């Protein structure tokens, strides 16, 4: 089967050890996690894990189902890039002497709509928010100038194209089931 790039959105209670349980599912299936971002979600007490990986659809379905079976996981879904809004951040530490001596460096930074965060005599920091291709394109271009001292790229963050969190409907249904005495 053809491998595609998937983004999993996993929602769980904020419990110690759940990240290890989630990543273990990928390890057991020998699927490498490309990026991982964990943060509080828009729902109090619920954390959101944004995980990316290359996989075929059958495998990603199995991984998603296994993750969702974890006792502290509330909901897990997988998406392709066309089903979600995605963003990353790139942080570049570049040589100020090269920046000052080569006007193409600053033109490149402006052309990519990156922001200068700090400039001192030794180094300058540049921030770019965008999709992976934008972040890596700026890296490649700055690397051609030989000015990169350090570079870091965040994990992907994502929201669905739905008007509300996918988990909101799930939690609402669960509350209705509890009120009806039909707890699952």
């Amino acid at each position: 089967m053809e491998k595609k790039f998937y983004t999993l959105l996993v929602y769980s209670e904020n419990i110690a050890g759940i990240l290890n349980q989630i990543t273990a599912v990928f390890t057991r299936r020998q699927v490498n996690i490309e990026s991982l971002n964990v943060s509080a979600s828009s729902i109090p007490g619920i954390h959101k894990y944004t995980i990316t990986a290359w996989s075929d659809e059958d495998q990603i379905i199995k991984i998603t189902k296994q993750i969702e079976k974890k006792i502290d996981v509330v909901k897990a879904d997988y998406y392709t890039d066309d089903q979600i809004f995605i963003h990353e951040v790139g942080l570049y530490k570049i040589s100020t002497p090269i920046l000052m001596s080569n006007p193409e460096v600053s033109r490149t930074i402006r052309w990519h709509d990156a922001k200068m965060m700090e400039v001192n005599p030794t180094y300058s920091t540049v921030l770019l928010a965008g999709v992976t291709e934008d972040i890596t394109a700026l890296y490649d271009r700055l690397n051609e100038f030989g000015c990169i001292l350090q570079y870091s790229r965040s994990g992907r963050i994502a929201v669905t194209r739905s008007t509300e969190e996918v988990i909101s409907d799930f939690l609402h249904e669960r509350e209705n089931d509890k009120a009806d005495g039909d707890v699952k």
Side-chain angles (χ1 to χ4, degrees):
M1 264 192 130
E2 179 189 352
K3 287 193 175 197
K4 291 166 104 177
F5 197 65
Y6 289 98
T7 300
L8 277 79
L9 299 181
V10 179
Y11 298 87
S12 79
E13 296 178 37
N14 187 14
I15 305 294
I18 190 69
L19 178 59
N20 186 46
Q21 292 177 42
I22 290 169
T23 58
V25 173
F26 287 88
T27 303
R28 280 194 299 276
R29 296 217 169 250
Q30 297 182 334
V31 173
N32 189 44
I33 293 174
E34 294 293 325
S35 74
L36 171 66
N37 185 303
V38 182
S39 65
S41 75
S42 61
I43 298 164
I46 302 293
H47 272 60
K48 181 178 185 176
Y49 300 74
T50 306
I51 306 165
T52 61
W54 286 96
S55 181
D56 60 64
E57 190 171 20
D58 288 343
Q59 182 84 299
I60 210 71
I61 289 169
K62 290 174 185 170
I63 288 170
T64 304
K65 285 180 179 177
Q66 275 189 299
I67 290 172
E68 206 164 44
K69 286 180 184 176
K70 301 294 177 193
I71 197 155
D72 297 316
V73 170
V74 179
K75 185 83 175 128
D77 285 304
Y78 67 93
Y79 302 90
T80 55
D81 285 358
D82 60 327
Q83 297 172 309
I84 54 177
F85 292 107
I86 55 176
H87 228 60
E88 293 182 11
V89 174
L91 191 59
Y92 314 79
K93 185 185 220 180
I94 62 173
S95 165
T96 299
I98 294 174
L99 171 67
M100 301 308 278
S101 67
N102 186 345
E104 276 303 306
V105 176
S106 62
R107 277 191 207 105
T108 298
I109 292 167
R110 284 192 311 275
W111 189 85
H112 282 86
D113 287 328
K115 294 180 182 177
M116 296 296 297
M117 303 301 291
E118 177 185 2
V119 178
N120 68 44
T122 309
Y123 65 86
S124 301
T125 54
V126 177
L127 177 75
L128 177 62
V131 294
T132 308
E133 295 77 17
D134 298 337
I135 306 294
T136 56
L138 179 56
Y139 172 83
D140 293 341
R141 191 73 175 105
L142 292 173
N143 199 37
E144 290 172 12
F145 297 120
C147 64
I148 294 181
L149 302 174
Q150 292 180 33
Y151 165 71
S152 184
R153 193 176 95 217
S154 72
R156 174 178 280 192
I157 57 172
V159 292
T160 65
R161 294 187 181 269
S162 163
T163 55
E164 50 183 48
E165 288 271 24
V166 175
I167 192 172
S168 297
D169 291 337
F170 177 81
L171 290 173
H172 184 67
E173 286 175 26
R174 194 162 88 176
E175 287 302 315
N176 285 343
D177 288 345
K178 282 182 184 178
D180 294 342
D182 208 15
V183 179
K184 293 178 182 178

